[in-house]
């Protein structure tokens, strides 16, 4: 039988901010992640009565559930359960900047933000819910560890599944590397994009991705000149092209011009990792004009705070 901790909840409202994340980075499917300096902000307080008082401003404010099925609330409850006790009710305020269903990790931000709120709301929560446990619990809700890892640790991350549990380590990012995002109007749910992946892949394609993902870890740390070769992928992006033809066309166009472009997460946003100057960036932005909102984003050196 699991032992129940009797927790002391803080009476005050606590606040967290959590970064957007881009996963896969081309070759590192379900493995590599990158935190981006675009943040959702959530505030929460424990309530004595069994109510969920939820207010959402910004991205998704019309669509997001305002009850116990809200993803931030679900993550908070998962975190409280892990620590040993759930509060009766919660007041939650969300200020969302990360757009939803674009491959920018909004679901991971909601989950990691919720877990961090739960940790902050408990006296001594830091000891009861470590970053490592946050990655494990977050992966249980998200289904894959790559965005969760980057949202918890910040910077660039390598994530993997070990005996069914999400695990991750952070890696250094060369300070010259910057990210440019092309965000389309249309959404694509990750669950839908995952259904397009095949059961098996050719051995040769697996080898190509393994070599490029290994190289990408080195390229991110200190060899940005290798980013184009290192982001090459044969195991996920092409299979999903039918769900995001414009995004794949942009990736192909940019890569043919020597620009390291990839589908961000499950898409349909496109991410370019580069060391270009402002004038060169202007040129690259023109390639997506009309169909995409181009946004430069710094790589976030820290995760959830
Ligand atoms: N801040 C949030 N609060 C509550 N739910 C959220 C929040 N952000 C995302 N979600 C949920 O996650 C869904 C998007 O997840 P997903 O399909 O994985 O796309 P993304 O690439 O944005 O993570 C949204 O439709 C919504 O249900
Ligand atoms: Mg997601």
């Amino acid at each position: 039988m699991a032992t129940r901790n009797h927790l002391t909840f803080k009476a005050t409202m606590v606040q967290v901010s959590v970064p957007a994340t881009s996963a896969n980075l081309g070759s590192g499917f379900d493995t590599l992640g990158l935190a981006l300096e675009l943040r959702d902000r959530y505030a929460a307080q424990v309530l004595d009565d069994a109510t969920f008082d939820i207010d959402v401003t910004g991205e998704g404010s019309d669509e997001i559930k305002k009850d116990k099925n809200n993803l931030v609330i679900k993550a908070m409850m998962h975190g409280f359960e892990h620590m040993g006790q759930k509060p009766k009710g919660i007041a939650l305020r969300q200020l969302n900047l990360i757009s939803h269903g674009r491959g920018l990790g909004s679901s991971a931000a909601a989950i990691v933000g919720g877990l961090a709120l739960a940790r902050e709301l408990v006296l001594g929560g830091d000891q009861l819910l470590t970053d490592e446990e946050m990655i494990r619990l977050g992966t249980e809700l998200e289904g894959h560890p790559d965005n969760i890892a980057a949202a918890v640790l910040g910077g660039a991350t390598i994530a993997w599944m070990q005996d069914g549990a999400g695990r991750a380590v952070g890696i250094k990012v060369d300070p010259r590397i910057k990210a440019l995002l092309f965000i389309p109007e249309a959404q694509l749910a990750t669950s839908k994009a995952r259904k397009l992946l095949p059961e098996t892949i050719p051995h040769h394609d697996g080898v190509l991705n393994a070599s490029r993902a290994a190289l990408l870890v080195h390229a991110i740390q200190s060899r940005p000149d290798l980013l184009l070769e290192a982001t090459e992928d044969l195991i996920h992006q092409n299979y999903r092209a039918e769900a995001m033809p414009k995004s794949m066309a942009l990736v192909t166009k940019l890569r043919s011009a020597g620009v390291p472009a990839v589908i961000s997460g499950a898409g349909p946003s496109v991410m370019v990792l580069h060391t270009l100057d402002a004038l060169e960036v202007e040129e690259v932005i023109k390639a997506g004009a009309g169909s995409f909102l181009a946004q430069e984003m710094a790589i976030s050196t820290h995760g959830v705070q």
Side-chain angles (χ1 to χ4, degrees):
M1 198 177 74
T3 43
R4 308 290 294 179
N5 287 324
H6 284 282
L7 304 181
T8 307
F9 296 116
K10 293 178 191 167
T12 51
M13 181 161 259
V14 302
Q15 294 184 45
V16 301
S17 82
V18 58
T21 48
S22 182
N24 303 332
L25 317 185
S27 52
F29 181 65
D30 270 3
T31 303
L32 297 178
L34 192 65
L36 301 167
E37 211 31 80
L38 170 74
R39 285 173 177 264
D40 277 0
R41 288 173 203 285
Y42 313 138
Q45 189 164 12
V46 164
L47 301 176
D48 291 334
D49 53 344
T51 54
F52 293 96
D53 168 10
I54 300 168
D55 185 69
V56 182
T57 308
E59 293 292 334
S61 56
D62 295 338
E63 298 95 44
I64 286 176
K65 298 183 181 105
K66 314 286 188 317
D67 54 26
K68 66 176 181 0
N69 293 313
N70 176 291
L71 192 52
V72 178
I73 295 284
K74 273 168 117 170
M76 288 181 78
M77 289 307 181
H78 200 49
F80 285 128
E81 208 159 36
H82 166 81
M83 289 185 280
Q85 192 186 340
K86 290 198 270 188
K88 284 204 182 104
I90 290 167
L92 172 68
R93 300 290 172 262
Q94 294 183 222
L95 176 57
N96 296 342
L97 264 64
I98 307 168
S99 41
H100 293 183
R102 305 304 203 301
L104 296 175
S106 75
S107 60
I111 291 166
V112 170
L115 290 169
L117 284 172
R119 174 162 80 180
E120 281 308 304
L121 281 168
V122 169
L123 216 60
D126 283 359
Q127 269 90 57
L128 298 169
L129 211 180
T130 62
D131 282 356
E132 228 168 78
E133 288 166 325
M134 201 183 269
I135 289 167
R136 180 171 61 77
L137 297 177
T139 302
E140 286 170 9
L141 294 174
E142 173 96 331
H144 48 103
D146 43 0
N147 294 91
I148 295 286
V152 172
L153 301 175
T157 46
I158 305 173
W160 68 98
M161 297 299 291
Q162 185 70 48
D163 303 325
R167 306 251 299 131
V169 290
I171 56 169
K172 185 179 114 0
V173 180
D174 188 311
R176 290 171 291 178
I177 300 177
K178 288 169 279 181
L180 171 65
L181 275 295
F182 289 93
I183 307 166
E185 192 51 49
Q187 295 198 20
L188 175 62
T190 298
S191 51
K192 218 171 139 190
R194 289 195 96 84
K195 291 199 183 96
L196 297 170
L197 296 174
E199 273 296 313
T200 58
I201 55 162
H203 193 267
H204 162 271
D205 295 356
V207 172
L208 181 135
N209 269 72
S211 67
R212 301 311 194 274
L215 179 63
L216 185 48
V217 170
H218 183 63
I220 287 173
Q221 288 176 321
S222 57
R223 287 290 302 275
D225 57 301
L226 291 171
L227 280 169
L228 180 64
E229 282 172 81
T231 48
E232 203 179 330
D233 155 67
L234 290 178
I235 69 170
H236 65 103
Q237 295 176 138
N238 282 326
Y239 293 110
R240 289 166 163 178
E242 62 182 82
M244 44 183 144
K246 281 186 179 168
S247 304
M248 266 319 284
L250 179 60
V251 166
T252 306
K253 182 174 166 184
L254 289 171
R255 293 188 72 84
S256 317
V259 178
V262 297
I263 297 292
S264 181
S269 294
V270 171
M271 180 168 72
V272 170
L273 291 174
H274 68 89
T275 55
L276 304 172
D277 63 31
L279 277 176
E280 292 167 324
V281 167
E282 282 308 312
E283 277 306 307
V284 173
I285 286 174
K286 281 182 195 158
S291 304
F292 298 87
L293 172 74
Q295 211 172 333
E296 289 182 85
M297 288 182 203
I299 292 163
S300 184
T301 52
H302 48 269
V304 66
Q305 287 195 307

